[in-house]
């Protein structure tokens, strides 16, 4: 039986260590919470009370942050959408810094628009931190083509980009009445549904409130 307890304890330790390697906040919190719960139970069995107290505190902290993260995930006041010139030095720097990750989700996207294209860029922020970028190209008659909808990995579980389409006035204020997106193999279709898009032949379409 002691061997099983030892294996149980090691599982908790591995989860805690592995959680520290996660870029995504939600994954980190859940792994750390489960690992801490296991560590609490393990130390209870052997009566190691200082470690019981420490792990209980970690469990409470993780539970608090998970509750807050889930609550904020649907709160439109947490994220803001800032219309930004596509040639803004900060936006260009952000796009180039994360170019490899961006290429996975938008292989054809380039930090600067093609000659003759009119691009509108929207910076998604949380407080004073840049969270992601949505870039929309004018296609005429109030229709926009979504060239990029990207957020940093640590915020990806909360899909803050959907606030651009659902809660923000940024797109209608820029003159768009509808946006369209042509999917590819890495397109997150579930995210598009949550953001209010619908399928129309080979495209995903989202009508915007005037």
């Amino acid at each position: 039986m002691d061997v099983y307890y030892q294996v149980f304890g090691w599982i908790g330790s591995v989860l805690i260590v592995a959680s520290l390697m996660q870029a995504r906040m939600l994954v980190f919190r859940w792994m750390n919470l489960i690992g801490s719960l296991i560590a609490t139970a393990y130390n209870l069995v052997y009566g190691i009370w200082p470690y019981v107290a420490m792990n209980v505190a970690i469990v409470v902290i993780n539970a608090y942050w998970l509750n807050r993260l889930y609550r904020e995930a649907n709160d439109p006041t947490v994220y803001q959408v800032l219309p930004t010139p596509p040639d803004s030095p900060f936006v260009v720097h952000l796009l180039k810094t994360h170019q490899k990750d961006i290429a996975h989700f938008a292989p054809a996207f380039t930090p600067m628009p093609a000659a003759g294209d009119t691009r509108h860029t929207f910076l998604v922020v949380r407080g004073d931190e840049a969270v992601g970028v949505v870039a929309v190209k004018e296609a005429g008659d109030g229709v926009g083509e979504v060239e990029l909808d990207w957020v940093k990995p640590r915020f990806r579980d909360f899909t803050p980009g959907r606030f651009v389409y659902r809660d923000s006035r940024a797109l209608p204020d820029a003159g768009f009445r509808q946006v369209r997106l042509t999917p590819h193999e890495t397109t997150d279709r579930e995210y598009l549904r949550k953001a209010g898009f619908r399928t129309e032949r080979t495209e995903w379409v989202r009508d915007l409130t005037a």
Side-chain angles (χ1 to χ4, degrees):
M1 184 62 71
D2 191 62
V3 172
Y4 293 110
Y5 284 142
Q6 293 291 332
V7 171
F8 187 64
W10 276 109
I11 291 173
S13 296
V14 168
L15 281 172
I16 291 172
V17 172
S19 72
L20 301 175
M21 302 168 63
Q22 303 303 311
R24 297 169 76 155
M25 287 192 292
L26 201 57
V27 176
F28 159 68
R29 287 295 173 187
W30 272 114
M31 289 181 66
N32 200 270
L33 174 66
I34 295 170
S36 299
L37 282 169
I38 293 173
T40 300
Y42 176 81
N43 286 293
L44 270 172
V45 169
Y46 290 98
I48 310 174
W49 303 112
Y51 285 98
V52 170
M54 179 185 72
N55 282 287
V56 166
I58 294 173
V59 167
V60 171
I61 291 169
N62 279 313
Y64 164 81
W65 277 106
L66 281 167
N67 177 66
R68 178 172 171 177
L69 289 170
Y70 278 115
R71 188 175 68 249
E72 291 181 350
N74 295 303
D75 187 348
T77 65
V78 172
Y79 298 96
Q80 284 78 46
V81 181
L82 307 179
T84 312
D87 59 351
S88 161
F90 176 75
V91 171
V92 173
H93 171 73
L94 181 67
L95 295 174
K96 287 183 177 179
T97 299
H98 297 277
Q99 195 163 14
K100 185 176 180 180
D101 186 51
I102 289 171
H104 176 75
F105 298 97
F109 182 79
T110 56
M112 294 300 296
D117 287 345
T118 301
R119 175 188 290 173
H120 297 256
T121 305
F122 305 93
L123 186 65
V124 183
V125 299
R126 184 180 187 274
D128 61 354
E129 180 177 4
V131 170
V133 177
V134 173
V136 181
K137 180 177 71 175
E138 289 187 7
D141 195 26
V143 177
E145 178 186 334
V146 179
E147 295 183 289
L148 177 68
D149 185 340
W150 168 85
V151 296
K152 293 178 180 177
R154 62 191 297 254
F155 294 98
R156 203 156 285 160
D157 292 309
F158 309 106
T159 58
R162 72 182 188 274
F163 291 113
V164 177
Y165 313 107
R166 192 185 70 189
D167 300 303
S168 170
R169 291 284 312 162
L171 285 166
D173 288 347
F176 294 108
R177 61 174 180 80
Q178 186 184 85
V179 287
R180 294 174 172 264
L181 184 149
T182 302
H184 52 82
E185 61 274 8
T186 60
T187 299
D188 187 344
R189 288 163 174 78
E190 183 58 30
Y191 161 70
L192 292 177
R193 290 189 187 94
K194 291 179 179 178
F197 282 78
R198 68 179 188 278
T199 55
E200 191 173 287
R201 293 184 292 276
T202 61
E203 294 183 306
W204 286 78
V205 178
R206 188 13 161 126
D207 295 318
L208 304 169
T209 304

